[in-house]
């Protein structure tokens, strides 16, 4: 086994994790500068393996942690990995990882990454060969100097420590302490035995005196028992009589109480019925007030409508006369218009035909004159131009002018054609609008009738909706009364329930219901009392069993409960106990199966979802017919048993019972509250529905009124809008005439332009033909003939055009006259008549026509019918009020009768209770006397058998006299020791026990003495054996280190001043005498460095280097006697001369080779500043220090030698 690897982090100068490369199992050397961290490396190993760092304070722990720049180190650890291939550690693994971690508040060990105690670690190390008595397998810096300066006595103590005498000393000290305790105990036992012997002699005399006293005491107890027994019998008889009387009184009281409860229930039923009847009367009164108000409204409306009908009837005859005159004037104007329009239709075609003829003749005349003008122009040009070229030039210029003019005229003509087309479209649109307006004006009467029908229908719809809204209002008013009553009853029920629980619970339950509604928590179900149903006969049993659990709130899981509790905490709204169903685990319980033991769960009805909560409260409870049976089942089966009256017995034997007032039932209060809450919520929901319905009806009425208003507006617009229509019609006719005139002017202009275009084209053709002809001085014969013909034709056409123009002018004058009459006289008159609008609709609005009269009559009939129905309903309501009031009086009378009966029953119950109370008081006194008598009998203690019959036949007077004599005799024994027998027996037993105990202590003392002798002998033997081994090893080691010299260890004794050679032979007695540890005073060192035969010198006479060599020789000798798996040396060669350093290095090499040859551990890890040890090392390491942090790395031997040589230089 050897150290394989070391890992350090945070320990002293090793801040970062330092993983040292695996060590050689032989010789390892570590080099480094002073202060680089070599000693801290050895301190880290000692920190794990030795006892040097134990019981440290906070400051000492802090000193082990790295202190430098950067973040603070809060903990450090050192981990040593051992090679365990030889199974020296009994772990069964090839490696063992030992780590120690330290912090400001912790100090922990671990073995193979598992936590371990310090004792476990130390025991494991000892099992592997790390001896606590020989810590010299680790030689820290300064240890050699300490050994060098050690005194002989200190060196002796060192050998004792190596020999393991501490164990013997500890056991010897413990044995001496036990012996001292034993001697002290023997002395105390001797004192007690002396006292006990004296006390036994005194008790012999007290026993005789006690015997006489006991005889008299026995007689007294027998006499007193006889007296008390007779008194107890008399009291028992008196108690039996009182119990019989009490039972009779209780039965009478129970009967009276049952009758009283029945009466209370009957009164409660009557009160509820009275409340319902009173509410019904209130409803009827509300209906009556509404009906009376409706009747008054109907009367006012009927009077107004009757007045309207009268006015309409009076104005109807005058309206008919006005209508007849209006119809006459309208027919005359229409006839005149028809005549003029017929004449106009006859003249217009003639005028059109005549104008077309005139246009045709005008066109022919224009064409002839144009041709004639061209011929004359051509004839004039013959003398104008001298040559053809000059003529052609002029013709070309003229043709260009004509072409330009043609383009302009053609564009104007196209624009004129388009304008004509647009005007024709406008004319067509105007004609269509005129037709539409005329149709509207002609259909005016039908529209007004349709509007009147629509208005009447809208009014009927409005009235119907108003009636429906009134019904809703009546229901709402009635429902408000119902809600107020239900709210009052709910608040009363809430107060009644709050009286059955504390204020915090009441506030908490109300808050939970509010939170459930606000946050829409589906997992909040309700209290147990709200979730169950139970028959009337078992209600008291359920209430008593559940207690306050009735108000525990059932929720689906603990998350929901947490949410509600957090909200309650924020609102500070009381306290509630929740029952999360996911947390309730009910274990089935075996209940008795008998007819007189009914499981309470069988009588409770609930949803299966809530079964865990109900099993938690009622699962271990049974119902029994009476308390006696309940007590038996409770004791035999370990259940809670309860009677229907609420008397309970639990498994521990406790009985709970008494009277339970059913009027204060929690379940009834909860059910009443739930019933009124549901009823209130139902009514509120209905009220909300009514409000919504009323709002919807208001909207419908608003829409209906709006539609009616629109219809009235349309009717008014229609009644007053025909004059604008007539005006529009006149405007359209005027526009149409203007458009026709414009069209005619455009057509004439177009005709003239077409004639000009035709003339220009003809001129252009003539110029073209002339240009192509030869230049001549005169016209051709054909052209002259054409010119003559044209002159004759022009003359004839002019004459014809003049006659046609005269005829056309006459027709045009007639047509214009007719049009002016129509436009200026007849049609304005017709419009004036139409504007007067004296038809049926106008008469209706002005004079009260039959349509308005019929409407008013219909409204009058509807109001009369409504008034009749209101009267009938009012009469029926009055009858119902009278009938209901009679019923209320009957119920009030019945209630009064029941109250008087209840008062009589209450007085009877009170008298019975007083009698029962007096009887209970008498019984209590008797019971108290009986209890006192029983106590006196118990105080007599255990009586002899004769006490029950010795004085049974003796009279009471004789017993009293004999008892007096007995008391007088007992007074003579006033100082008797009543415990003499017991004390004598106790002291005798104590004497025997103490005698045996003293014998045991004597035996123990002898055993301890023998053990001390054996321990002293073994300790002496261990010291002598160790000295011989170490002395022999010292001589061998010194000879190896100093081949020319010789050294030995000398033990010093008190018995002789000389220092004999331990190898001298003495007698056995002398050896035993001289071998006593007490005779040893020290161990000296005697050496010679120059000769094996010269006188040897004491260590005090040597130089410093020689002393260090002797100290090293002593260390090696101790290690050879108690070898360890490995050795740690910190600068052991610091004070040696060169030759001795070489010898030490050679010795270490030999030791490793010997260990390897013998197949045992022999690892050395050394630090040095000298090259001798580096030369023989198998592996070298270098320690560096940078930024206040140390690190260790493997270096080559040459680098290590160079570093050491450099340090030396």
């Amino acid at each position: 086994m050897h150290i394989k690897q070391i890992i350090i982090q945070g320990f002293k100068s090793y801040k970062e994790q330092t993983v040292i490369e695996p060590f050689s199992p032989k010789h390892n050397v570590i080099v480094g500068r002073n202060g680089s961290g070599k000693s801290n490396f050895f301190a880290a190993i000692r920190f794990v393996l030795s006892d040097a760092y134990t019981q440290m304070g906070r400051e000492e722990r802090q000193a082990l942690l790295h202190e430098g720049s950067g973040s603070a180190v809060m903990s450090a650890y050192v981990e040593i990995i051992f090679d365990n291939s030889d199974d020296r550690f009994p772990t069964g693994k090839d490696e063992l990882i030992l780590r120690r971690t330290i912090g400001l508040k912790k100090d922990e060990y671990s073995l193979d990454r598992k936590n371990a105690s310090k004792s476990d670690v130390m025991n494991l190390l000892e099992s592997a060969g790390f001896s606590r008595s020989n810590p010299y397998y680790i030689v820290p810096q300064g240890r050699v100097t300490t050994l060098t300066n050690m005194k002989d006595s200190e060196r002796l103590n060192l050998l004792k420590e190596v020999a393991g005498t501490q164990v013997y000393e500890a056991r010897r000290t413990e044995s001496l302490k036990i012996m001292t305790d034993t001697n002290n105990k023997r002395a105390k036992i001797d004192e007690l035995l002396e006292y006990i012997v004296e006390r036994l002699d005194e008790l012999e005399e007290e026993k005789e005196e006690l015997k006489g006293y006991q005889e008299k005491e026995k007689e007294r107890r027998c006499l007193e028992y006889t007296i008390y027994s007779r008194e107890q019998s008399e009291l028992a008889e008196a108690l039996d009589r009182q119990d019989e009387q009490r039972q009779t009184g209780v039965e009478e009281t129970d009967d009276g109480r049952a009758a009283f409860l029945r009466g209370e229930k009957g009164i409660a039923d009557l009160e509820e019925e009275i409340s319902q009847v009173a509410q019904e009367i209130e409803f009827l009164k509300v209906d009556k007030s509404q009906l009376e108000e409706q009747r008054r409204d109907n009367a006012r409306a009927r009077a107004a409508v009757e007045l309207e009908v009268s006015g309409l009837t009076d104005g109807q005859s005058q309206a008919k006369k006005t209508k007849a005159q209006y119809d006459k004037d309208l027919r005359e104007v229409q006839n005149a218009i028809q005549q003029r329009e017929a004449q106009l239709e006859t003249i217009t075609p003639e005028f059109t035909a005549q104008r077309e003829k005139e246009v045709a003749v005008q066109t022919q005349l224009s064409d002839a004159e144009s041709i004639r003008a061209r011929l004359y122009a051509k004839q004039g040009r013959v003398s104008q131009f001298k040559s053809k070229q000059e003529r052609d030039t002029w013709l070309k210029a003229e043709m260009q002018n004509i072409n330009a003019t043609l383009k302009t005229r053609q564009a104007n003509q196209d624009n004129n054609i388009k304008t004509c087309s647009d005007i024709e479209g406008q004319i067509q649109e105007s004609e269509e609008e005129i037709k539409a307006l005329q149709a509207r004006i002609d259909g005016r009467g039908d529209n007004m009738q349709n509007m009147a029908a629509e208005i009447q229908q809208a009014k009927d719809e409005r009235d119907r909706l108003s009636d429906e809204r009134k019904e809703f209002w009546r229901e709402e008013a009635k429902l408000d009364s119902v809600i107020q009553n239900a709210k009052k009853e709910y608040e009363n029920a809430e107060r009644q329930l709050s009286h059955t629980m504390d204020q915090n619970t009441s506030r908490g339950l109300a808050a939970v219901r509010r939170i459930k509604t606000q946050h829409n928590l589906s997992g909040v179900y309700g209290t147990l009392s709200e979730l169950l149903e139970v028959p009337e006969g078992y209600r008291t049993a359920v209430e008593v069993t559940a207690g306050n659990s009735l108000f525990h709130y059932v929720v689906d899981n603990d998350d929901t409960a947490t949410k509600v509790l957090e909200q309650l905490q924020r609102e500070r709204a009381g306290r509630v106990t929740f029952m999360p169903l996911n947390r309730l685990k009910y274990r089935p319980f075996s209940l008795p199966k008998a007819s007189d033991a009914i499981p309470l769960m069988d009588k409770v009805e609930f949803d299966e979802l809530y079964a865990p909560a109900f099993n938690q409260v009622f699962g271990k409870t049974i119902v029994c017919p009476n308390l006696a049976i309940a007590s038996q089942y409770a004791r035999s089966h370990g259940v809670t048993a309860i009677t229907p009256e609420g008397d309970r017995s639990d498994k521990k034997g406790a009985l709970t019972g008494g009277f339970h007032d059913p009027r204060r039932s929690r379940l009834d209060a909860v059910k009443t509250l739930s019933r009124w809450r549901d009823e209130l919520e139902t009514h509120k929901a209905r009220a909300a529905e009514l409000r919504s319905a009323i709002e919807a009806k208001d909207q419908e009425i608003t829409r209906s009124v709006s539609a009616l208003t629109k219809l009235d507006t349309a009717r008014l617009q229609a009644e007053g809008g025909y004059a604008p229509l007539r005006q529009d019609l006149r405007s359209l006719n005027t526009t149409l005439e203007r458009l026709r005139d414009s069209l005619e002017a455009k057509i004439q202009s177009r005709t003239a332009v077409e004639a000009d275009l035709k003339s220009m084209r003809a001129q252009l053709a003539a110029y073209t033909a002339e240009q192509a002809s030869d230049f001549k001085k005169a016209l051709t014969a054909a052209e002259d003939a054409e010119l003559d013909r044209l002159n004759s034709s022009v003359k004839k056409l002019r004459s014809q055009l003049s006659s046609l123009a005269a005829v056309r002018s006459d027709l045009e004058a007639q047509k214009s006259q007719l049009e002016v009459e129509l436009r200026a006289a007849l049609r304005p008159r017709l419009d004036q008549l139409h504007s007067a609008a004296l038809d049926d609709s106008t008469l209706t609005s002005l004079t009260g026509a039959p349509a308005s009269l019929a409407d008013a009559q219909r409204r009058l009939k509807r109001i009369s019918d409504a008034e009749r129905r209101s009267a009938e309903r009012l009469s029926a309501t009055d009858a119902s009020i009278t009938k209901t009031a009679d019923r209320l009086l009957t119920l009030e009378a019945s209630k009064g009768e029941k109250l008087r009966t209840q008062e009589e029953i209450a007085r009877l119950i009170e008298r019975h209770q007083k009698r029962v109370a007096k009887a209970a008081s008498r019984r209590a006194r008797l019971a108290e006397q009986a209890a006192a008598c029983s106590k006196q009998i118990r105080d007599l203690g255990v009586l002899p058998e004769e006490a029950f019959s010795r004085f049974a036949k003796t009279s009471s007077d004789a017993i009293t006299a004999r008892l007096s004599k007995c008391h007088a005799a007992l007074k003579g024994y006033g100082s008797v020791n009543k415990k003499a027998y017991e004390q004598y027996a106790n002291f005798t037993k104590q004497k025997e026990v103490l005698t045996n105990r003293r014998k045991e202590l004597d035996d123990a003392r002898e055993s301890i003495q023998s053990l001390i002798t054996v321990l002293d002998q073994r300790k002496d033997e261990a010291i002598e054996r160790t000295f011989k081994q170490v002395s022999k090893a010292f001589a061998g080691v010194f000879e190896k280190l100093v081949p020319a010299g010789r050294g030995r260890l000398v033990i010093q004794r008190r018995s002789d001043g000389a220092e004999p050679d331990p190898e001298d032979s003495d007698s056995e007695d002398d050896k035993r005498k001289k071998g006593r540890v007490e005779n040893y005073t020290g161990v000296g060192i005697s050496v010679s460095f120059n000769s094996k035969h010269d006188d040897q010198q004491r260590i005090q006479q040597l130089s410093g280097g020689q002393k260090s060599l002797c100290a090293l020789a002593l260390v090696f000798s101790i290690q050879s006697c108690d070898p360890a798996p490995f050795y740690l040396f910190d600068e052991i060669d610091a004070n040696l001369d060169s030759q001795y350093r070489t010898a030490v290095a050679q010795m270490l090499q030999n030791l490793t080779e010997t260990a390897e040859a013998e197949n045992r551990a022999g690892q050395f890890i050394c630090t040095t500043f000298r090259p001798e040890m580096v030369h023989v090392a198998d592996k070298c390491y270098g320690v560096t220090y940078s930024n206040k942090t140390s690190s260790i790395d493997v270096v080559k031997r040459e680098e290590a030698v160079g570093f050491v040589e450099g340090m030396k230089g």
Side-chain angles (χ1 to χ4, degrees), residues 33 41 57 62 78 157 205 208 268 348 399 418 470 552 567-568 596 631 765 840 874 876 879 995 1186:
R33 297 183 181 275
F41 168 73
Q62 181 68 46
V78 178
N157 291 333
E205 298 176 359
E208 294 299 328
T348 299
M399 289 172 64
K418 183 181 179 191
K470 289 179 182 178
H552 289 181
Q567 191 66 26
L568 286 175
D596 55 356
S631 301
D840 293 341
L874 186 60
T995 302
S1186 176

Side-chain angles (χ1 to χ4, degrees), residues 293 312 597 987 1054 1142:
E293 181 66 24
L312 290 173
F987 277 111
R1054 290 194 186 92
T1142 303

